[in-house]
């Protein structure tokens, strides 16, 4: 069971009531974004003092104007010397300043609709601000993503988690779908995904160079979610070629054909936000798997190493020495011992692993 | 914060200095002459959503129109705070006092307006303190009120709550005042790098919001470029692997280097972050621009402009480093060399690190008992690394850079020659002093003029006395093999890293 708080960026109107069932693409609240403002300096254009412009105005504060409608004009003795100042936009006259000689024109407001994002039930409404949607679902958290919220049916494009996603895997039947790949997404596959029109891509890893080419700039700080590259991209593991965790791959495989709501929004500083894949269970949901609260790391826990030189390797905690240990950099840190499936054991700083949740 | 002024390089910069000094991150500087069209400025204010705005502009009795124009843009943008739908955006007006009535009329209803003294009452003088104090007050009253648990914190604390950078700034100022020092302090964190300086009693602080070692590590790569980072690394690595590694650090910011090559890459990135942050600081820690200057006949050949940077590396007495990468480097010499490489100190400069991140706390303490705060800082918090002696000039590798003579505290003396492209490290314990006489070669300067010898008292530390003959400005060999060989030679000379890179 998860809750998603849906909030308008400025006060508006909530369109649903507590208890209403909503679909992901349904508007739950609406607000009017004030229109853009265009200043026009009448004093300069009419060559008069700012304090005098009121005498030349044809329209007054609060009036509605059409594009190219006359805002102000002078009244010369000879008609040829007449100057007319026309409105550059359609909107209303917000203010007239006798200090600067400026008229501020505001375009009509733009309606902003806030969607439910996930299929679920409204459990709370916050007057003028938004709602809380509740849904019973399977949730997969990625590590990094780009692009905003979208939804689509889940399609598995590869057979195994270590198979890279190539352009050949992507076809027109995947339009508007959430496509799951394996270990790696190449630049060519990204191009093909855009051509096909997939809603989202979920893969193990990509190269930073390909991300830079996709965005058109080098991403400096991991605050994402507003990019518009044609699809939402979610990495489950990181940068490089890294097989998707078997558990994640298996879980997504279970839900082929089911609708998923996804978001690439990532924020790694204070108040961490990670990208997510939400698969609502609906009325016909399969048995809920409630996760128990973890209390620290234990011997036997499955872990993934998240720093080179063994980045991406998966093993099991085989020892948890409590004393500080000197690592090759000469730093003295707390470490743990990881055993790989082949029986090999390595010592890793505790901060360089993450526990594979729910395994 | 967003700050506004009339002329970008005058009131715009003064407003920026006021905000930065108060501990803020400045997200944009709007000015009448910033080249943006009016509707672009309005859009910018709307989209950036600052927590606070500082308006300045015009000297008292000077321009009114431009200030009022900016007020109209802000009013039109209807800026809304990021947090708290119900409260109004705090806005400080610290511009031309003649424009106060109009600004009040325009903005009083649309913001939580506070009017204070002009930050630039006349072109020749800045008056930043009143605006800084107001920023501080409004930060606590409005912005921090939105932080969870803040009200509980107020009940728990007996002293005023301060933003961390403002408190660090206070302790830096207190130390500089106590020992009559010119100093540069740096706090390099995961997301930002703060630089503080006190030169001839003038305090400045800048924050490079996107230069850091974890959250912002990728931005260091974007700003410095791969080549600048790799020049500090004594091996080669392909670009794709390095880029992926840096991005992986960004998305998993709590990981630490596990192998020696990873440590070297991380310390190379730190050098670049420190270097870029100091360049940023130098560009803002300047004298006032647009000020009339008196010239005498002796100045005729020197076309100095106003607004010269206050940072004079030859006058610099002390560098204080803080932040995980500097405070927790496995060897103290690594911290010292990172700062020396990034800042290229000249003449004789003492270096230290903050070992226990107590600077912010001591900054607050200094408002209650300055002596207690500085005493604790010097005795328990700061670890002196030693002194770097670096002549200015360049020459061929192996050429004589300077002759030097060191009189050690035990009465012994060392008489040697420092050659170009040479690093030498002598142990000199904390609390000990030695006297060094440097007689630079013909084209080399130790601060007293080209070829003129100097004698200085130098302080020891946990690292010692570092003689840097690599030349200033510091230039690394352009060609790959030569660069790697030079780095290997320097690293070995000061015992920077363990010899064997053990396999993990």
């Amino acid at each position: 069971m998860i809750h998603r708080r849906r909030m308008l960026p400025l006060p508006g109107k909530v369109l649903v009531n507590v208890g209403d069932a909503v679909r992901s693409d349904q508007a739950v609240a609406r607000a009017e974004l004030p229109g853009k403002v265009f200043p026009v300096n009448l004093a300069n254009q009419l060559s008069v003092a700012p304090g005098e412009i009121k005498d030349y105005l044809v329209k007054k504060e609060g009036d509605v104007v059409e594009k190219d409608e006359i805002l102000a004009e002078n009244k010369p003795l000879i008609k040829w010397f007449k100057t007319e100042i026309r409105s550059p936009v359609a909107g209303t006259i917000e203010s007239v300043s006798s200090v600067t000689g400026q008229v501020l024109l505001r375009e009509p407001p733009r309606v902003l609709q806030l969607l439910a994002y996930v299929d679920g039930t409204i459990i709370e409404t916050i007057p003028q601000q938004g709602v809380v949607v509740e849904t019973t679902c399977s949730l997969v958290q990625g590590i990094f993503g780009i692009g905003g919220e979208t939804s689509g049916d889940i399609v598995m494009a590869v057979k195994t988690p270590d198979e890279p996603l190539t352009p050949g895997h992507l076809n027109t039947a995947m339009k508007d779908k959430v496509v799951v790949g394996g270990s790696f997404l190449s630049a060519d596959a990204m191009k093909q995904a855009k051509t096909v029109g997939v809603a989202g891509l979920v893969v193990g890893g990509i190269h930073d160079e390909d991300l830079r080419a996709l965005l058109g700039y080098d991403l400096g700080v991991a605050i994402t979610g507003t990019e518009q590259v044609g699809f939402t991209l979610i990495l489950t593991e990181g940068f490089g070629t890294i097989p998707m965790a078997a558990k994640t791959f298996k879980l997504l495989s279970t839900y082929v054909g089911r609708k998923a709501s996804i978001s690439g929004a990532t924020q790694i500083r204070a108040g961490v936000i990670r990208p997510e894949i939400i698969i609502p269970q609906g009325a016909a949901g399969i048995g809920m798997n409630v996760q128990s609260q973890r209390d620290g790391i234990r011997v036997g826990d499955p872990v993934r190493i998240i720093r080179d030189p063994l980045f991406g390797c998966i093993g099991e905690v085989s020892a948890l020495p409590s004393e500080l240990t000197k690592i090759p950099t000469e730093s003295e840190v707390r470490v743990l011992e990881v055993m790989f499936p082949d029986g090999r054991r390595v010592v890793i700083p505790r901060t360089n692993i993450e526990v594979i949740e729910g395994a | 914060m967003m700050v506004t002024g009339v002329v970008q390089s005058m009131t715009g910069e003064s407003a920026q200095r006021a905000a930065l000094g108060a501990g803020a991150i400045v997200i944009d500087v709007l000015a009448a002459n910033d080249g943006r069209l009016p509707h672009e400025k309005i859009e910018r204010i709307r989209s950036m959503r600052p927590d606070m705005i500082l308006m300045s502009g015009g000297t008292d009795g000077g321009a009114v129109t431009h200030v009022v124009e900016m007020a109209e843009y802000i009013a039109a943008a209807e800026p809304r705070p990021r947090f708290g739908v119900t409260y109004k955006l705090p806005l400080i007006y610290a511009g031309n006092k003649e424009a106060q009535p109009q600004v009040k009329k325009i903005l009083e209803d649309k913001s939580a307006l506070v009017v204070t003294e002009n930050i630039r009452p006349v072109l020749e003088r800045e008056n930043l303190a009143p605006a800084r104090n107001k920023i501080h007050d409004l930060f606590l009253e409005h912005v921090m009120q939105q932080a969870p648990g803040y009200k509980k914190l107020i009940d728990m604390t007996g002293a005023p709550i301060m933003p961390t950078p403002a408190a660090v700034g206070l302790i830096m100022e207190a130390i500089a005042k106590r020992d009559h020092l010119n100093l540069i302090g740096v706090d390099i964190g995961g997301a930002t790098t703060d630089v503080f300086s006190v030169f001839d009693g003038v305090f400045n602080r800048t924050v490079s919001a996107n230069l850091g070692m974890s959250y912002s590590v990728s931005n260091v790569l974007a700003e410095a470029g791969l080549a600048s980072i790799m020049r500090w690394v004594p091996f080669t690595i392909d670009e794709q692997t390095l880029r992926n590694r840096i991005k992986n650090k960004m998305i998993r910011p709590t990981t630490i280097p596990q192998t020696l090559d990873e440590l070297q890459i991380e310390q190379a990135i730190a050098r670049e972050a420190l270097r870029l942050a100091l360049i940023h600081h130098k560009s803002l820690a300047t004298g006032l621009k647009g000020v009339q200057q008196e010239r005498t006949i002796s100045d005729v050949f020197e076309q100095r402009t106003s607004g010269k940077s206050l940072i004079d590396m030859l006058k610099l007495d002390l560098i204080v480093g803080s932040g995980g990468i500097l405070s927790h480097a496995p060897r103290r010499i690594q911290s010292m060399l990172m700062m020396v490489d990034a800042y290229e100190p000249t003449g004789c400069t003492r270096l230290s690190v903050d070992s226990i991140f107590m600077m912010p706390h001591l900054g607050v303490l200094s408002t209650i008992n300055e002596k207690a705060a500085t005493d604790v800082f010097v005795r328990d918090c700061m670890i002196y690394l030693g002194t770097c002696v670096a002549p200015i000039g360049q020459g061929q590798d192996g050429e004589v850079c300077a002759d030097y003579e060191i009189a050690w505290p035990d009465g012994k003396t060392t008489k040697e020659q420092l050659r170009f492209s040479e690093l030498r490290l002598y142990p000199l314990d904390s609390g000990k002093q030695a006297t060094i006489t440097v007689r630079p070669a013909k084209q080399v300067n130790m601060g007293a003029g080209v070829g003129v010898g100097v004698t200085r008292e130098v302080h020891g530390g946990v690292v010692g006395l570092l003689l840097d003959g690599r030349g200033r400005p510091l230039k690394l060999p352009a060609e790959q093999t030569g660069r790697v060989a030079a780095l290997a030679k320097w690293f070995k000379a000061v015992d920077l890293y363990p010899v064997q890179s053990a396999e993990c």
Side-chain angles (χ1 to χ4, degrees):
Chain A
M1 188 92 74
I2 62 152
H3 294 159
R4 284 293 173 267
R5 181 173 274 259
R6 314 289 297 154
M7 300 294 279
L8 287 166
L10 71 175
K13 192 177 174 214
V14 175
L15 305 173
V16 289
N17 296 311
V18 172
D20 287 359
V22 289
R23 287 181 52 81
S24 61
D25 54 359
Q26 183 182 338
V28 290
R30 192 172 52 211
E32 287 191 340
L33 285 178
K36 277 189 182 171
V37 178
F38 287 86
V40 178
N41 199 312
L42 294 183
N44 285 353
Q45 294 192 34
L46 290 169
S47 303
V48 296
E52 296 171 21
I53 60 163
K54 285 221 159 81
D55 303 337
Y56 295 84
L57 281 173
V58 175
K59 298 275 179 183
K60 56 182 189 306
E61 264 183 37
D63 280 0
V64 175
V65 289
E66 292 301 320
K67 188 171 189 295
D68 292 330
E69 210 179 328
I70 297 170
L71 292 173
E73 59 184 15
N74 60 4
K75 298 175 186 74
L77 289 172
I78 305 164
K79 214 176 158 187
W80 284 356
F81 294 117
K82 187 168 181 173
T83 308
E84 294 172 344
I85 314 296
R86 291 172 187 277
S87 171
V89 291
T92 48
I93 297 185
E94 181 153 295
S95 68
V96 178
S97 170
S98 57
V99 179
T100 59
Q102 281 204 121
V103 166
L104 295 177
L105 299 163
R106 191 180 286 276
E107 283 189 332
R110 197 161 55 83
V111 174
L112 175 93
Q113 290 209 321
L114 179 70
L115 303 181
Y117 172 49
V118 288
D119 293 356
T121 311
I122 303 293
I123 57 152
E124 189 187 343
T125 57
I126 303 124
Q128 297 189 314
Q129 293 181 46
V131 300
V132 179
V133 188
E134 181 184 86
T135 184
T136 308
C137 66
S138 288
L139 170 72
V140 176
Q141 231 177 23
I143 189 79
F144 174 78
I146 57 165
E149 296 168 350
T150 184
S151 62
D153 295 342
I154 294 178
V155 180
M156 303 302 286
V158 295
K159 291 196 172 60
T160 56
D162 55 358
E163 188 182 346
L165 185 65
T166 62
H169 287 119
L170 297 159
N171 56 50
T172 49
M174 292 173 179
K175 185 172 163 41
D176 297 331
K177 303 277 198 271
V178 173
V179 179
V180 181
S183 59
F184 178 67
L185 173 71
S186 66
D188 288 343
M190 286 181 200
K191 263 186 217 149
Q192 178 67 8
K194 214 186 283 188
T195 313
V196 165
V198 305
L201 286 168
V202 184
V203 293
I206 56 167
H207 282 322
D208 176 43
E209 273 179 335
D210 297 340
L211 176 70
R212 191 169 48 150
L214 180 70
L215 294 173
Y217 57 90
D218 210 340
L219 186 76
V221 183
I223 298 174
T224 67
T226 55
E227 300 73 20
Q228 291 186 329
V229 295
F231 52 81
T232 292
L233 171 66
I234 296 177
L235 307 185
T236 58
E237 315 303 317
F239 288 87
T241 303
I242 320 156
M244 186 180 288
K247 185 172 165 57
T248 310
F249 192 81
K250 199 174 145 203
L251 183 81
L252 293 171
S253 309
T254 320
Y255 294 114
V256 167
R258 293 280 291 273
K259 186 173 149 188
S261 295
I262 65 169
S263 166
T266 310
Q267 183 179 312
I268 295 171
R269 278 190 77 177
V272 178
I273 300 170
R274 295 281 187 187
E276 61 184 12
I277 304 152
I278 296 170
I279 308 151
Q281 302 297 305
I286 51 173
M288 206 165 61
N289 178 14
V290 179
Q291 262 181 31
S292 59
Q293 195 72 30
R294 296 196 55 83
D295 49 352
I297 192 164
R298 285 185 294 256
V299 171
D301 280 347
V303 291
R304 182 196 284 113
I305 296 168
I306 54 170
R307 178 94 190 202
D308 281 301
L310 294 165
F311 185 89
C313 293
I314 289 173
E316 200 180 279
V317 178
S318 51
L320 284 165
S322 58
E323 66 279 9
L324 295 176
T325 306
K326 199 178 239 187
I327 58 172
T329 59
E330 293 186 333
S331 286
E332 291 197 355
V333 295
R334 295 193 74 197
V335 297
L336 49 69
E337 188 187 79
V338 176
M339 186 172 75
F340 293 123
D342 62 5
R344 197 161 52 102
R345 288 165 192 259
V346 290
V347 172
I348 305 283
R350 286 196 192 188
T351 183
N352 288 357
I353 59 105
E354 65 189 12
V355 179
I356 300 173
E357 296 281 343
Chain B
M1 283 185 69
M2 200 170 233
V3 302
T4 75
V6 169
V7 180
Q8 198 162 21
S9 62
M10 295 184 202
T11 43
E13 272 191 16
S14 293
Q16 205 175 350
R17 277 192 284 267
L20 287 165
I25 292 176
V26 175
I27 52 178
D28 204 352
V29 183
L30 296 176
N33 70 336
D34 65 9
R36 285 178 278 196
L37 294 170
H39 71 272
E40 289 173 335
K41 286 177 190 155
I42 296 170
E43 265 313 291
R44 186 77 180 152
I45 302 167
R46 279 171 64 150
S47 62
M48 293 306 284
R49 300 189 76 170
D51 291 320
M52 207 188 289
I53 296 178
L54 170 64
M55 274 190 76
S56 72
T59 51
D60 283 344
V64 170
T65 318
H66 290 303
V67 183
V68 175
E69 201 171 66
M70 193 61 83
E72 285 172 358
Y73 297 152
I74 294 174
E78 293 190 18
R80 291 168 24 78
R82 280 185 308 157
F83 306 111
V85 177
T86 49
Y87 91 107
K88 283 183 183 171
L89 185 85
L91 194 149
I92 298 158
Y93 177 71
N96 182 0
K97 64 179 178 196
E98 311 281 315
Q100 282 178 6
Q102 286 101 320
V103 171
K104 271 188 193 161
K105 199 174 144 200
I106 298 165
L107 288 166
E108 213 156 33
D109 293 339
K110 298 204 168 185
S111 63
L113 178 69
V114 173
V115 175
T116 186
E117 290 168 49
N118 193 349
I119 54 170
R120 199 85 181 252
V122 287
L123 268 186
E124 288 70 23
R125 190 165 64 83
E126 259 181 357
N127 178 29
L128 303 181
R132 273 184 186 159
N133 293 340
K134 283 281 177 263
I135 293 168
H136 186 202
D137 294 348
L138 288 177
F139 174 74
L140 298 180
E141 275 170 37
H142 288 252
V143 184
M144 281 304 289
Q145 292 294 343
Q146 309 302 321
Y150 181 69
K151 287 188 181 79
K152 263 191 201 165
L153 184 67
I154 289 178
D155 294 338
M156 287 160 63
T157 53
I161 296 168
M162 295 180 86
T164 301
V168 174
L170 278 181
I171 189 75
M172 292 279 178
E173 265 189 293
I175 290 293
K177 197 170 90 185
R178 187 184 97 146
D179 297 339
H180 308 288
L181 296 174
N182 291 327
L183 66 80
I184 289 178
V186 60
D187 183 2
I188 177 167
T192 61
T193 297
D194 280 7
V195 181
F196 306 83
S197 68
V198 185
F199 274 81
D200 300 327
V202 180
F203 169 73
N204 270 289
R205 168 198 173 241
T206 53
V207 53
S208 299
N210 288 325
L211 293 175
M213 290 308 297
S214 58
Y215 306 102
S216 312
V217 67
S218 187
N219 202 54
V220 181
L221 172 68
E223 281 196 24
L226 190 77
S228 296
I229 291 175
M230 288 312 291
R231 69 191 166 129
W232 301 112
V233 179
F235 51 84
T236 53
I237 180 169
D238 77 281
E239 181 173 347
Q240 193 169 79
T241 309
L242 184 74
R243 282 188 165 279
N244 286 344
R245 278 191 190 187
I246 289 176
K247 277 287 187 302
N248 281 325
K249 168 85 181 180
M250 175 184 81
I251 59 174
R252 290 182 168 103
T254 56
T255 60
I256 58 167
Q258 192 176 335
T259 58
L260 203 54
D261 63 342
E262 286 252 303
L263 180 75
Q264 288 174 343
I265 291 171
E266 208 147 302
Q267 293 188 344
I269 297 169
R271 283 173 168 87
E272 286 305 300
L274 291 169
R275 185 178 67 84
L276 291 172
L278 184 66
I279 291 172
H280 181 206
H281 185 82
K282 279 182 177 171
S283 70
L284 269 168
T286 61
L288 299 182
K289 289 175 190 159
V291 177
Q292 210 174 11
Q293 292 180 90
E294 277 184 18
R295 285 174 190 273
T296 63
I297 194 74
S298 62
D299 297 326
V300 87
F301 296 110
E302 198 187 355
Q303 287 296 316
R304 263 187 310 180
T305 52
S306 60
K308 201 168 157 255
S309 179
L310 299 174
I311 310 300
D312 180 349
M313 297 307 275
L314 268 174
K315 284 191 189 164
L316 177 64
D317 300 303
L318 175 67
I319 300 175
V320 185
S322 182
I325 190 95
L326 294 174
S327 298
H328 291 160
R331 294 185 182 188
R332 294 286 184 200
I333 176 66
Q334 291 166 2
S335 314
M336 186 157 176
L337 205 60
M338 272 187 268
M339 290 193 276
V340 168
D341 289 347
Y343 291 164
E344 298 184 28
T346 51
C348 297
T349 315
R350 202 172 178 194
L351 291 101
S352 67
V353 287
D354 165 23
S355 61
I356 44 173
F357 301 121
M358 217 203 273
M359 282 203 283
H361 319 85
L362 294 174
V364 177
L365 180 62
S366 74
T367 62
I368 295 157
N369 188 331
E370 192 170 309
K371 189 173 181 310
T374 50
D375 281 353
V376 173
F377 184 63
V378 171
R379 285 180 202 153
D380 298 326
C381 188
M382 192 141 73
I383 291 183
Y384 286 106
L385 300 171
T387 301
C388 172
V389 178
I392 306 165
Q394 280 163 336
Q396 292 292 320
D397 286 8
E399 258 180 30
V400 174
C401 172
D403 291 303
Y404 63 88
E405 189 176 336
I406 306 167
W408 300 105
D410 61 3
K412 288 182 184 156
T413 56
T414 302
K415 246 177 135 172
E416 290 275 353
Q417 278 187 329
L418 180 68
R419 295 179 182 275
F420 279 108
S421 184
E422 198 175 37
L423 266 186
R424 287 191 177 186
L425 182 62
Y426 292 97
L428 178 62
D429 289 344
S430 298
K432 296 276 166 63
Q433 289 181 31
T435 307
I436 186 165
T437 303
V438 184
R439 280 176 288 278
K442 267 185 205 162
Q443 76 283 19
V444 180
N445 184 352
M446 261 303 284
V450 173
V452 181
V454 295
T455 300
R456 294 267 190 279
E457 287 282 306
V458 287
H459 296 263
V462 292
V463 174
L465 183 60
L466 182 71
L467 271 57
D468 188 349
R470 297 176 299 170
R472 294 287 186 270
L474 178 56
K475 278 189 182 158
L476 275 75
E479 170 263 332
Q480 173 76 3
T481 327
R483 185 184 57 80
V484 171
L487 287 176
K489 182 177 85 177
W490 298 333
F491 292 179
K492 192 174 167 220
V494 298
D495 197 18
L496 195 66
Y497 295 110
V499 180
Q500 286 294 319
S501 164
E503 285 301 314
C504 186

